[in-house]
């Protein structure tokens, strides 16, 4: 599909829209962007197929001694800086990270945590990079977002994987020491549907440069960035494959205007804006990878980049646990500390068990990324999905435990003489994690697509409306052979043997082996449910988003249980006393998770999905509009989606650089 010169058009509602594409075209673009090959084993992929490959994660992988020494030394310096030089209350009050703080972070090497040493970076492992983000995010989520957006999805990571040597030599030293970077994909009318991307990059006749036009929204770090990665559509033409393509763009290039610094309910210090490109000349050597490879570059970057958000979520859980413990021991109601009341105790238990599990997921996935033996695209996606949902719940429970003080701002608490605990701020700051870098709903679909990949590989043509009879016949033969071998293996397994996974059942400790047997049995049950659903719905399977979401959530719980058990056993081997406590937490978490799994299985087949879908259609059609009467809408006037028609900016440039 060729992109028009001016890809913005007006929809019937008068709001701008990206190129009109069919549902099939949108899926085709997304499908071409994903890596369709599995060259390395994947624990999570096998889990969804009913194969519990504990050998892929146990014994727990360990970092090498040199990376530990360097990582711990950096964490010590970082912690000292954050404790003495960062005032989180000031960042929240001023909605800005002070210049001197950013300058100090640069001097510490924070911008180059993941950049190789030969380019001036620290060369930290993924494990210690994530531990550093947890520290930064705990003192100020805005600082954590700045560092994460710069290195997890900004210029350094795609250059590391896809850049030429010349590009690495040119930009990575700057990324490691001085330049803040950002990743620009989202547009005012384009979120998770990249097929409608409207920003264009038109090549010059001699092929020496591209002319960039378009508007990008929610550009984290974009207000202060020196370099950005921009995703733009190159028109197909003679000598040009075209398609969505990645470019490194210098932010001082003529024609770039940061038109707005956006403000949000949380992350008040984040430098997030709207960036307009008008006839911006980008040298051809600034293109990362081939034309049309932009989405693949973005998705590959996110495979490990997504671990940054779970790392900060795990750090948030640790802080929630600390405050819940200290407050619940100090606060008394009805003659005893509130921790001794069952209703509060249940919340504390949930926070403790879940924090242990989140750290287990993040550390296991990070170490697997460092070893590079496994394909962790599903593990990283599950980590993002699971951690963001549960971190939000933990923060909500902390606010409830704190009562009225949980709803009160830290500044107000301090003003009347009490400890300035920013519980309500944490709730606001964490809320965005369920949306950006893939919303919960999109993560469900992304993981589900990867989880059923083996099925579609052998049976996809059977349900493909465009496949001819010969293709369907060949697919049926392949599917028959695959399922004849696969389905019988879902009937029985080690999970039915009382002695299986005996090393996780040491004397005097909770029996984690029983939980792993549950995981093995449930993995097969999950695969059987998926197979039955595909047989039942066939081509309509992809529309059953409620069902697919629950399948993914079950798999996420099983992955979390596995990670928690493996971590507890690892800690037992290192420190018997800490290991005993870890076994207790893993056991508690697994018992809570098993209850959630049982509920999810029940809702696979007994739910209101069809009723909900019909009700939603009726709501949008206006059938229940009478129900909205009796209130006043305080919203202001204006279009639902801002006009992003290409052209010169009519607004002041609010871009700035840190001093």
């Amino acid at each position: 599909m060729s992109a028009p010169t001016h890809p913005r058009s007006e929809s019937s509602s008068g709001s701008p829209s990206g190129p009109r594409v069919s549902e099939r075209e949108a899926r085709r673009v997304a499908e071409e962007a994903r890596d369709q090959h599995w060259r390395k084993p994947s624990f999570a992929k096998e889990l969804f197929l009913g194969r519990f490959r504990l050998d892929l994660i146990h014994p727990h992988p360990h970092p090498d001694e040199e990376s530990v020494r360097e990582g711990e030394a950096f964490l010590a310096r970082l912690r000292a800086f954050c404790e003495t030089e960062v005032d989180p209350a000031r960042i929240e009050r001023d909605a800005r990270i002070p210049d001197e703080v950013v300058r100090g972070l640069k001097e510490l090497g924070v911008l180059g945590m993941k950049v190789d040493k030969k380019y001036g970076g620290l060369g930290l492992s993924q494990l210690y990079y994530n531990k550093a983000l947890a520290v930064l995010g705990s003192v100020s989520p805005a600082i954590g977002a700045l560092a994460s957006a710069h290195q997890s999805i900004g210029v350094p990571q795609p250059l590391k994987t896809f850049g030429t040597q010349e590009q690495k030599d040119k930009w990575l030293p700057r990324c490691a020491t001085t330049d803040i970077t950002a990743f620009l994909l989202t547009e005012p009318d384009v979120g998770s549907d990249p097929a409608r991307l409207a920003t264009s990059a038109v090549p010059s006749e001699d092929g020496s440069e591209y002319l960039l036009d378009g508007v990008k929204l929610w550009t984290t770090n974009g207000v202060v960035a020196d370099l950005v990665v921009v995703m733009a559509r190159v028109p197909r033409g003679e000598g040009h494959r075209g398609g969505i393509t990645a470019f490194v763009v210098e932010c001082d290039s003529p024609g770039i205007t940061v038109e707005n610094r956006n403000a949000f309910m949380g992350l008040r210090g984040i430098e997030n804006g709207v960036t307009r490109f008008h006839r911006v000349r980008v040298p051809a050597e600034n293109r990362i990878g081939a034309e049309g490879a932009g989405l693949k570059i973005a998705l590959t970057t996110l495979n490990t980049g997504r671990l940054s958000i779970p790392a900060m979520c795990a750090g948030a859980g640790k802080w929630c646990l600390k405050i819940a413990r200290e407050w619940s021991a100090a606060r008394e109601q009805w003659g005893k500390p509130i921790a001794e009341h069952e209703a509060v105790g249940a919340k504390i238990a949930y926070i403790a068990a879940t924090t242990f599990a989140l750290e287990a997921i993040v550390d296991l996935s990070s170490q697997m990324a460092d070893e590079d033996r496994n394909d962790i695209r599903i593990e990283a996606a599950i980590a993002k999905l699971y951690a963001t949902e549960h971190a939000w719940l933990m923060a909500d429970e902390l606010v409830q435990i704190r009562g009225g003080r949980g709803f009160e701002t830290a500044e107000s608490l301090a003003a009347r003489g009490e400890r300035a605990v920013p519980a309500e701020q944490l709730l606001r700051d964490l809320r965005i994690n369920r949306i950006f870098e893939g919303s919960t709903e999109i993560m469900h679909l992304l993981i589900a697509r990867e989880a059923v990949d083996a099925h579609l590989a052998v049976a996809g043509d059977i349900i493909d409306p465009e496949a001819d009879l010969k293709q369907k016949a060949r697919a049926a033969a392949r599917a028959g052979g695959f399922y004849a071998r696969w389905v019988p293996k879902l009937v029985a397994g080690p999970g039915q043997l009382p002695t299986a996974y005996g090393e996780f059942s040491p004397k005097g400790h909770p029996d984690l082996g029983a939980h792993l047997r549950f995981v093995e049995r449930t993995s097969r049950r999950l695969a059987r449910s998926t197979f039955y659903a595909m047989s039942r719905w066939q081509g309509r399977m992809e529309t059953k988003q409620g069902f697919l979401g629950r399948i993914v959530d079950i798999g996420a719980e099983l992955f979390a249980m596995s990670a928690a058990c493996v971590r507890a056993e690892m800690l037992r081997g290192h420190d018997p006393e800490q290991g005993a406590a870890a076994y207790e937490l893993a056991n508690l978490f697994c018992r809570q998770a098993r209850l959630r799994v049982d509920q999810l299985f029940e809702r696979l087949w007994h739910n209101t999905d069809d009723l909900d879908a019909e009700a939603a259609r009726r709501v949008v059609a206006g059938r229940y509009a009478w129900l909205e009467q009796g209130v006043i809408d305080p919203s202001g006037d204006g279009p639902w989606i801002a006009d992003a028609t290409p052209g010169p900016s009519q607004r002041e440039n609010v871009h700035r650089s840190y001093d």
Side-chain angles (χ1 to χ4, degrees):
M1 179 181 126
S2 60
T5 305
H6 298 290
R8 282 287 179 186
S9 61
E10 293 296 320
S11 66
S12 59
S13 64
S15 64
S17 63
R20 294 185 180 277
V21 297
S22 66
E23 186 176 5
R24 171 166 285 278
E25 174 68 8
R27 289 199 186 95
R28 183 193 64 77
V29 171
E31 187 65 16
E32 288 180 353
R34 61 177 288 273
D35 188 346
Q36 300 181 32
H37 302 285
W38 294 84
R39 302 171 184 84
K40 299 174 184 177
S42 165
F43 173 79
K45 178 175 181 284
E46 294 293 302
L47 202 62
F48 282 105
L49 287 171
R51 300 190 285 251
F52 181 46
R53 290 287 308 280
L54 186 61
D55 61 294
L56 293 177
I57 62 171
H58 175 68
H60 194 292
H62 294 286
D64 63 80
E65 293 183 3
E66 181 65 13
S67 71
V68 172
R69 184 187 65 78
E70 293 180 350
E72 292 294 340
F74 174 71
L75 287 181
R77 297 194 300 272
L78 181 65
R79 182 179 292 276
F81 176 84
C82 289
E83 290 176 341
T84 59
E85 304 299 327
V86 179
D87 180 359
R90 178 185 174 188
I91 295 173
E92 178 70 6
R93 182 175 61 253
D94 297 345
R96 176 172 171 173
I97 304 170
D99 288 4
E100 61 270 21
V101 170
V102 176
R103 187 163 53 247
L105 293 172
K106 290 181 179 181
E107 293 170 356
L108 272 175
V110 167
L111 295 187
M113 289 188 288
K114 285 190 69 181
V115 178
D116 194 283
K117 294 178 182 177
K118 65 182 178 182
Y119 301 111
L122 299 180
L124 293 183
S125 65
Q126 184 73 36
L127 179 69
Y128 275 95
Y129 168 65
N130 284 339
K131 289 181 181 293
L133 286 179
V135 172
L136 290 169
S138 65
V139 70
S140 169
I143 294 179
L146 182 147
S148 173
H150 166 67
Q151 285 179 102
S152 297
I153 57 175
V155 174
Q157 188 62 33
L159 276 190
K160 176 182 176 181
T161 308
F162 297 97
T164 65
Q165 190 58 55
E166 291 75 16
Q167 289 173 334
K168 294 176 183 178
D169 291 339
K170 179 179 180 179
W171 287 309
L172 285 182
R174 291 168 55 184
C175 294
T177 55
T178 59
D179 287 17
I180 292 173
T181 72
F183 174 76
L184 278 57
L185 172 63
T186 304
E187 299 177 357
D189 196 29
V190 180
S192 298
D193 181 8
R196 300 179 63 245
L197 195 77
T199 298
S200 64
V202 179
S204 60
E205 289 187 7
D206 62 3
S208 64
E209 62 182 11
Y210 293 82
L211 209 58
L212 199 61
D213 280 280
V215 178
K216 294 295 185 179
L217 176 63
W218 296 325
T219 60
T220 300
N221 289 356
V223 178
V224 295
D226 304 288
L227 289 171
V228 293
V229 175
V230 180
M231 294 293 168
R233 185 183 300 278
V234 176
R236 186 187 301 274
E238 185 177 351
H240 292 278
R241 175 190 173 189
I244 298 173
T245 306
F247 299 90
V248 176
V249 181
E250 301 272 0
C251 289
D252 60 359
S253 301
I256 299 179
T257 305
V258 177
E259 296 187 330
N260 195 64
R261 180 179 186 256
N262 303 324
F264 305 97
M265 67 182 288
L267 294 181
R268 286 176 52 79
I270 195 173
E271 298 289 350
N272 179 294
V274 177
T275 303
R276 178 180 291 270
F277 299 89
H278 175 58
R279 303 186 67 79
V280 177
R281 297 185 179 277
V282 181
E285 57 265 27
N286 287 28
R287 190 187 70 223
I288 307 176
E291 288 183 358
L295 284 183
K296 187 178 289 291
I297 290 171
L299 290 179
T300 304
T301 298
L302 283 171
N303 280 344
T304 53
R306 280 199 174 99
L307 292 176
S308 62
I309 293 178
M312 290 185 280
C313 287
K318 288 174 176 286
W319 184 79
C320 286
L321 181 60
K322 179 180 184 294
I323 298 301
R325 173 178 58 82
E326 295 176 351
W327 168 250
S328 298
R331 174 65 163 166
E332 291 190 1
Q333 289 281 274
W334 296 296
K336 57 184 178 182
I338 61 172
E340 296 181 18
H341 292 282
E342 188 175 277
V344 176
K347 299 180 187 301
I348 297 171
Y350 166 72
I351 292 173
T354 306
T355 297
F356 178 81
L358 292 194
E359 186 170 46
I361 292 170
V362 172
D363 281 8
L364 176 62
S365 300
S366 299
Q367 192 57 39
M368 290 167 70
D370 286 329
E371 290 192 345
D372 200 27
R373 289 188 296 111
N374 295 333
D375 187 323
I376 66 160
R377 72 181 86 164
I378 299 182
E379 286 84 348
I382 286 177
K384 195 276 179 186
L385 167 69
Y386 197 83
T388 56
E389 288 293 318
H390 282 279
W392 162 259
L393 290 175
M394 285 192 288
D396 187 59
E397 294 287 40
L398 177 63
V399 167
Q400 193 71 16
I401 291 170
R402 287 275 291 161
R405 291 173 173 85
F407 192 66
E408 191 172 1
T409 67
E411 186 176 28
S412 176
L413 288 165
R416 60 184 185 78
E418 291 193 1
R419 184 176 299 184
V421 179
E424 61 83 28
Q425 180 191 334
L426 181 69
L427 196 64
R428 290 187 286 105
D429 288 341
L430 284 174
R431 185 59 183 85
I432 186 58
N433 291 334
R434 298 171 61 199
I435 298 174
F436 65 14
E437 288 193 33
S439 69
T440 291
E441 294 72 24
I442 291 298
M443 296 310 297
H444 274 142
L445 298 180
L446 185 152
I447 297 167
R449 173 61 187 87
E450 299 292 359
V452 302
D453 183 63
H455 300 280
L456 294 179
V458 299
D461 283 342
I462 297 176
I463 60 177
D464 187 348
E466 294 188 358
D468 58 32
L469 291 178
K470 288 185 178 180
Q471 290 173 312
K472 290 180 182 293
R474 285 195 296 267
R478 288 196 307 269
F482 172 78
Y483 290 120
R485 294 187 301 272
W486 178 64
V487 173
K489 296 178 182 179
L490 302 180
V491 177
Q496 294 166 293
L497 302 176
T499 59
Y501 314 113
E503 66 267 38
F504 290 86
S505 305
K507 188 176 181 180
H509 292 73
D511 185 6
L512 298 188
H515 296 310
L516 292 179
R517 291 192 291 275
F518 172 85
V519 172
E520 195 279 334
R521 294 193 306 273
T522 307
S523 173
R524 287 185 282 111
R525 182 185 178 189
L526 181 64
R528 292 195 301 269
S529 298
T530 304
F531 173 66
Y532 173 70
M534 290 197 68
S535 302
R536 176 180 176 181
W537 291 314
Q538 296 187 28
R540 293 185 294 127
M541 177 80 160
E542 64 184 15
T543 69
K544 301 296 182 179
Q545 295 182 2
F547 178 90
L548 291 172
R550 295 177 197 109
I551 287 288
V552 168
D553 286 339
I554 293 170
E557 293 287 1
L558 299 183
F559 176 51
M561 291 175 66
S562 304
C565 291
V566 168
R567 182 174 184 82
E569 176 60 14
M570 176 194 68
L571 293 176
R572 186 176 74 91
H574 289 174
D575 182 338
E577 183 176 349
Q578 188 181 58
Y583 255 68
E584 294 167 1
L585 287 170
N587 177 60
L588 173 62
F589 172 76
C590 287
R591 288 184 175 276
Q592 294 173 350
R594 288 173 70 161
L595 293 175
R596 293 192 291 266
V597 167
D598 289 342
Q599 293 171 353
L600 286 165
F601 268 115
E602 173 66 20
R603 291 179 59 214
L604 280 181
W605 311 110
H606 302 91
N607 52 65
T608 60
D609 290 350
D610 292 340
L611 284 174
D612 295 343
E614 183 58 33
R617 285 190 289 269
R618 290 171 177 169
V619 167
V620 174
R623 180 175 176 82
Y624 307 132
W626 52 268
L627 191 59
E628 301 162 10
Q629 296 174 7
V631 297
I632 297 174
D633 181 1
S635 306
D637 295 330
W640 286 105
I641 300 170
D643 186 6
T645 303
S649 178
Q650 304 299 317
R651 305 185 64 176
E652 177 187 357
N653 188 0
V654 298
H655 180 271
R656 65 182 180 82
S657 296
Y658 280 110
D659 184 13

